[in-house]
């Protein structure tokens, strides 16, 4: 059973009889679940509710919260930096996730089962995705795409002159962060590799006997059988990309600049909440993020029925 | 580095689910140019090129950390004419405290987080995978939803809560939530793993007179070592890298974790002392790299299985 089916089918199938369980382990179960339940209510659900309430208040941590109704949301509608951060985040998610997944799939396809050197390639290509979220790599990126950085040194050797500083140019700064995200294609690649292994080779052999070419075999066998995994990667990567923070913070020095071109939504939320202690506004922003992510996820699930194919 | 065949072998041994994997027939070469030698050569060439491009910035950073500052801006190559450790000495002592202090802080947080995740997530996972109780489906659905919940929606009230408890500028806000299984992703991972362990073992233990706790501790826990290792290593890497939470809660100079120290470094030098910055970046990446080398098998398996079964 795929993890994703698990996510979609947590409820009892329609029409299935409700089974009264004999000898339930209620007491033991809730003892085992106790830490998780405390965490759920104290660290997750409680704060969620609190942040919903706070989003209708003006609160700076010092004075008690003051109820202001929908004012935070009205202010958000007229806040150009908020719109800028939304645009930046949308572009980042919509460009970097599909490109990253396409690269991950392409490389996974190159890595055949049983090929020579597979563990080596897999390790080298996977490593960046473990390091990618670190401050150290963001520091490296800052240097690489700076005026005298590695990228311009290489381009200079190839004869290019008058090279810009990629991170201080509003037109190119976001692209460098997208490139950083694509660079971390290793973890979806590993999931694709595992998925490719699950496809029985007989399918390909039968198709080859019937005269199907490589492209046909890819489109008719690989893609459909891999579609649940593509979907799984897509959903999780989108949710993850919406929450990117460290890279933009370090590369822009915490400003989201130049000209707000790398002002990720979470970065703006941080500035509002923990820079200016505008906690009510930050809570309202957080709920907007929840709504946006939920909407993206829902649309994903909605479209899934047209292209995601379940074998079992 | 393990070869692929040993990977396969360990997979069958340690991952009971693998036994249920679809039987895959012997590999038959497909006709046409798929099997040809030229194609294989081209493929390796493409992969080697990709690997070099991917890894080049990392190697260049390591090499640059061993170069005098003025050379960093003129040498995109990887050769070293001299070997200088000045950057490491400068970087180590550039901030208020020596870098060892920040490494120690990070180590405390990471060890606490690993312990927390291992204990709390395995307990919850056992209940979800093995015990029958009222509300099981509902709680499981809630647990899956929290995996997808953006962290930012709880961060403001959590901050208020922890600051009222007087926990700001302590490591507690980074550690205590882990003891409460807030990284639900690992609960999910362990549930999937436990489901692959034959139920007969539980029943045998029950017949032998084991209670739930003893069954969990003496039967399930030893069998789920691979899942625990995966959790430990991912917790290590993610907590070590964690910047946002540390940024919010740790502000006094003696409490900084490694990522925060690097960030303070950038601000204090105005981003000019690249050599020292790279040196400390290398130092900060080294533990992750070691975790990667030691735990590669579990990392690969852990990430691969979450997307599949």
């Amino acid at each position: 059973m795929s993890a994703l089916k698990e996510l979609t089918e947590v409820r009892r199938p329609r029409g299935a009889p409700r089974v009264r369980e004999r000898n339930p382990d209620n007491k033991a179960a809730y003892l085992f679940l106790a830490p998780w339940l405390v965490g759920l209510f104290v660290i997750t659900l409680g704060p969620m509710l609190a942040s919903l309430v706070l989003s209708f208040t003006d609160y700076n941590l010092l004075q008690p919260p003051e109820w202001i109704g929908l004012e935070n949301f009205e202010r958000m509608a007229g806040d150009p930096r908020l719109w800028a951060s939304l645009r930046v985040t949308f572009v980042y998610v919509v460009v970097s996730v599909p490109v990253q997944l396409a690269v991950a799939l392409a490389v996974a396809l190159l890595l055949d089962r049983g090929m020579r050197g597979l563990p080596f390639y897999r390790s080298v290509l996977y490593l960046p995705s473990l390091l990618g979220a670190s401050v150290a790599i963001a520091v490296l990126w800052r240097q690489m795409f700076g005026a005298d950085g590695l990228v311009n040194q290489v381009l200079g050797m190839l004869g290019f002159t008058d090279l810009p500083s990629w991170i201080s140019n509003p037109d190119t700064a976001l692209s460098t962060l997208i490139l950083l995200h694509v660079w971390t294609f290793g973890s979806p690649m590993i999931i694709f590799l595992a998925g490719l292994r699950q496809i029985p080779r007989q399918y390909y052999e039968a198709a080859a006997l019937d005269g199907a070419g490589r492209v046909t075999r890819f489109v008719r066998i690989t893609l459909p059988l891999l579609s649940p995994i593509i979907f799984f990667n897509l959903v999780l990567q989108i949710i993850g990309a919406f929450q990117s923070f460290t890279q933009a913070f370090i590369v822009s020095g915490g400003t989201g600049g130049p000209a707000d071109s790398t002002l990720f939504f979470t970065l703006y939320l941080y500035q509002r909440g923990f820079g200016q202690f505008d906690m009510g506004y930050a809570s309202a922003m957080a709920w907007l993020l929840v709504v946006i992510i939920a909407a993206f996820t829902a649309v994903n699930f909605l479209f899934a029925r047209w292209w995601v194919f379940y074998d079992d | 580095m393990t070869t692929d065949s040993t990977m396969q072998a360990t997979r069958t041994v340690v991952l009971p689910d693998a036994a249920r994997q679809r039987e895959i027939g012997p590999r038959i070469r497909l006709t046409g140019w798929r099997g040809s030698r030229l194609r294989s050569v081209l493929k390796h060439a493409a992969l080697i090129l990709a690997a070099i491009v991917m890894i080049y910035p990392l190697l260049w950073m390591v090499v640059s950390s061993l170069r005098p500052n003025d050379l960093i801006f003129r040498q995109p190559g990887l050769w070293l004419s001299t070997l200088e450790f000045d950057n490491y000495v400068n970087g180590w002592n550039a901030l208020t405290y020596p870098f060892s202090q920040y490494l120690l802080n990070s180590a405390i947080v990471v060890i606490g987080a690993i312990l927390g995740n291992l204990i709390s997530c395995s307990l919850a996972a056992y209940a979800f995978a093995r015990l029958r109780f009222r509300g099981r489906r509902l709680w499981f659905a809630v647990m899956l939803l929290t995996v997808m919940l953006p962290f930012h929606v709880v961060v403001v009230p959590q901050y208020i809560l922890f600051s009222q408890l007087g926990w700001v500028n302590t490591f507690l806000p980074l550690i205590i939530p882990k003891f409460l299984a807030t990284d639900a992703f690992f609960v999910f991972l362990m549930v999937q793993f436990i489901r692959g362990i034959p139920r007969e073992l539980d029943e045998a233990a029950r017949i032998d007179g084991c209670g739930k706790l003893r069954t969990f501790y003496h039967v399930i826990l030893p069998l789920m070592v691979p899942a625990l290792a995966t959790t430990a290593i991912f917790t290590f890497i993610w907590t070590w890298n964690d910047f946002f939470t540390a940024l919010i809660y740790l502000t006094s100079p003696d409490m900084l974790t490694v990522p925060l120290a690097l960030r303070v470094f950038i601000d204090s030098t105005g981003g000019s002392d690249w050599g020292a910055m790279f040196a400390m970046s290398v130092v900060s990446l080294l533990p992750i790299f070691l975790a990667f080398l030691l735990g590669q098998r579990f990392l690969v398996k852990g990430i691969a299985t979450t997307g599949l079964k």
Side-chain angles (χ1 to χ4, degrees):
Chain A
M1 186 197 249
S2 90
L4 213 59
K5 282 191 102 176
E6 191 91 39
L7 295 179
T8 52
E9 291 181 3
V10 284
R11 276 189 296 164
R12 179 162 43 97
R14 193 169 298 174
R18 177 185 289 271
V19 183
R20 268 265 163 252
E21 298 190 342
R22 277 167 300 167
N23 312 322
D25 312 313
N26 282 332
K27 216 167 127 188
Y30 280 99
L31 273 175
F32 279 98
L33 285 178
W36 175 76
L37 280 169
V38 171
L40 179 70
F41 284 102
V42 177
I43 308 279
T44 308
L45 293 183
M48 266 181 86
L49 196 67
S51 102
L52 188 61
V53 174
L54 280 178
S55 67
F56 299 105
T57 66
D58 186 15
Y59 184 41
N60 61 7
L61 285 182
L62 300 173
Q63 282 103 25
E66 184 194 341
W67 187 269
I68 53 169
L70 290 171
E71 206 176 294
N72 281 328
F73 295 94
E74 283 161 19
R75 268 164 67 207
M76 274 161 62
D79 179 353
R81 293 200 79 200
L82 182 110
W83 288 103
S85 75
L86 277 176
R87 198 183 54 83
V88 167
T89 311
F90 275 130
V91 171
Y92 178 74
V93 170
V94 170
V95 176
S96 73
V97 173
V99 174
Q100 189 209 38
L101 290 186
V103 173
L105 182 56
V107 175
L109 286 168
L110 274 178
L111 290 169
D112 270 354
R113 182 168 21 134
M115 80 184 282
R116 199 170 290 172
L118 172 61
F120 170 76
Y121 291 128
R122 194 180 46 201
S123 307
V124 169
L125 298 173
Y126 178 42
L127 183 62
S129 71
L130 291 177
L131 308 177
S134 66
V135 168
I137 294 300
V139 167
L140 172 65
W141 232 250
R142 216 170 114 118
Q143 198 284 344
M144 275 172 63
F145 290 95
D148 302 322
L150 176 60
V151 170
N152 280 353
Q153 288 169 26
V154 173
L155 289 175
M157 282 170 62
L158 296 173
F160 291 92
T161 48
D162 280 338
L163 294 160
S165 165
W166 305 93
I167 55 162
S168 19
N169 182 342
D171 296 330
T172 52
L174 183 56
S175 315
T176 64
L177 293 174
I178 290 174
L179 203 63
L180 173 52
H181 189 78
V182 173
W183 185 65
T184 63
F185 68 78
S187 56
M189 174 196 77
I190 290 209
I191 298 178
F192 280 139
L193 267 176
L196 288 170
R197 285 185 180 198
Q198 303 269 320
I199 302 177
R201 291 203 82 83
Q202 288 93 322
Y203 289 9
Y204 292 109
E205 283 151 20
L209 284 179
D210 287 345
R214 289 176 53 75
V215 177
T216 316
R217 291 199 295 256
F218 176 71
V219 174
R220 294 289 176 84
I221 301 172
T222 312
L223 275 186
L225 289 180
L226 209 57
S227 59
I229 289 159
I230 298 175
F231 181 55
F232 178 85
N233 272 334
L234 189 66
V235 170
L236 288 192
Q237 290 292 334
I238 287 178
I239 293 172
F242 264 113
Q243 300 178 60
S244 301
F245 175 81
T246 309
Q247 302 88 332
F249 185 96
I250 296 297
V251 167
S252 72
T255 61
D260 285 349
S261 62
T262 60
L263 186 69
F264 284 4
F265 193 80
T266 52
L267 182 48
Y268 187 43
L269 190 152
Y270 169 80
Q271 289 181 358
R272 278 291 190 156
F274 298 91
Q276 304 162 8
F277 293 103
D278 197 350
M279 292 297 187
Y281 196 82
S283 300
M285 283 186 69
W287 272 96
L288 180 63
L289 184 65
V290 172
V291 170
I292 292 171
I293 290 180
F296 262 75
T297 310
V299 167
N300 254 324
F301 273 88
L302 218 62
F303 276 100
R305 67 174 64 201
W306 304 110
W307 67 273
V308 178
F309 169 81
Y310 287 104
D311 197 16
D312 43 31
Chain B
M1 221 168 282
T2 48
T3 66
D4 205 48
S5 53
T6 45
M7 279 268 324
Q8 288 279 13
T10 23
R11 183 177 307 242
T12 349
V13 174
V14 295
L15 249 191
D17 266 317
R20 284 200 257 119
Q21 249 177 23
R22 234 169 298 182
E23 219 24 72
I24 296 169
R27 190 169 179 211
I28 302 171
R29 285 215 177 274
L30 296 173
T31 48
W33 104 293
R34 189 180 165 83
S36 79
R37 192 162 185 85
L38 176 65
R39 182 168 177 275
S40 163
V41 170
L42 282 178
K43 199 163 72 176
H44 278 280
L47 282 168
I48 289 169
L49 188 71
I52 291 174
V53 170
M54 289 284 286
I55 222 73
Y56 193 89
L58 292 173
L59 296 176
W60 181 81
M61 178 171 70
V62 174
V63 169
S64 294
S65 73
L66 297 164
R67 274 178 182 147
N69 247 327
D70 52 328
L71 283 183
I72 293 175
F73 295 99
R74 281 189 276 124
Q75 290 196 344
L78 293 180
W79 53 92
L80 276 166
S81 41
T82 56
L83 201 62
E84 295 203 36
F85 291 96
D86 290 2
N87 289 327
Y88 284 84
V89 177
N90 293 341
W92 198 272
N93 299 311
L95 300 177
T96 326
Y97 293 86
F99 216 75
S100 46
Q101 172 80 41
Y102 311 123
L103 289 167
L104 180 71
N105 291 344
S106 273
I108 294 170
V109 173
V110 163
I111 290 169
I114 291 177
L115 277 180
N117 270 345
L118 287 181
I119 296 169
S120 63
C121 295
S122 62
L123 286 172
Y126 176 71
F128 280 128
R130 280 296 201 260
L131 304 181
R132 292 174 302 169
F133 55 98
R134 277 180 70 90
R136 185 174 161 276
R137 282 174 181 282
L138 172 75
W139 291 127
F140 192 66
V142 170
M143 192 270 291
L144 287 177
L145 280 177
T146 59
V147 175
M148 297 200 262
L149 191 75
F151 169 67
H152 304 85
V153 72
V154 291
V155 72
V156 166
Q158 267 185 24
Y159 180 83
I160 296 167
L161 173 72
F162 290 143
S163 72
Q164 279 174 357
L165 289 170
W167 287 4
V168 172
N169 260 322
T170 72
F171 299 132
L172 295 173
L174 283 72
I175 295 174
I176 295 300
K178 312 284 177 181
F179 277 90
L180 302 173
T182 45
D183 283 347
F185 172 78
F186 295 119
V187 179
F188 177 60
L189 187 124
M190 291 185 196
V191 167
Q192 298 295 91
F193 190 88
I194 296 175
R195 282 179 177 170
I197 299 173
R199 268 181 186 274
E200 287 79 12
L201 293 173
D202 297 40
E203 279 153 26
R206 191 169 56 84
I207 291 164
D208 287 348
C210 279
K212 303 290 180 215
L213 194 62
R214 278 166 67 103
T215 309
F216 167 69
Y217 190 75
H218 289 294
V219 178
I220 299 295
L221 216 50
L223 286 173
M224 62 188 285
V225 165
L228 298 176
T230 303
T231 300
I233 296 164
F234 271 114
T235 306
F236 183 103
I237 292 173
W238 291 346
T239 311
W240 190 271
N241 277 341
D242 177 40
F243 179 64
F244 189 82
T245 333
L247 181 66
I248 291 171
Y249 290 109
L250 305 175
T251 48
S252 70
D254 60 325
M255 297 296 284
L256 305 183
T257 55
V258 169
L260 291 181
L262 273 181
R263 181 257 172 154
V264 171
F265 201 147
I266 301 182
D267 289 357
S268 63
T269 60
S272 58
D273 193 355
W274 287 111
M277 211 124 60
F278 283 159
M280 292 307 102
S281 295
V282 171
V283 169
S284 82
L285 291 179
L286 216 54
I288 304 181
F289 189 68
L290 289 177
F292 169 72
L293 281 187
L294 295 175
Q296 220 196 113
R297 197 158 58 92
F298 298 112
L299 285 172
V300 167
K301 208 157 44 196
I303 198 155
T305 42
T306 45
L308 289 175
K309 289 192 223 65

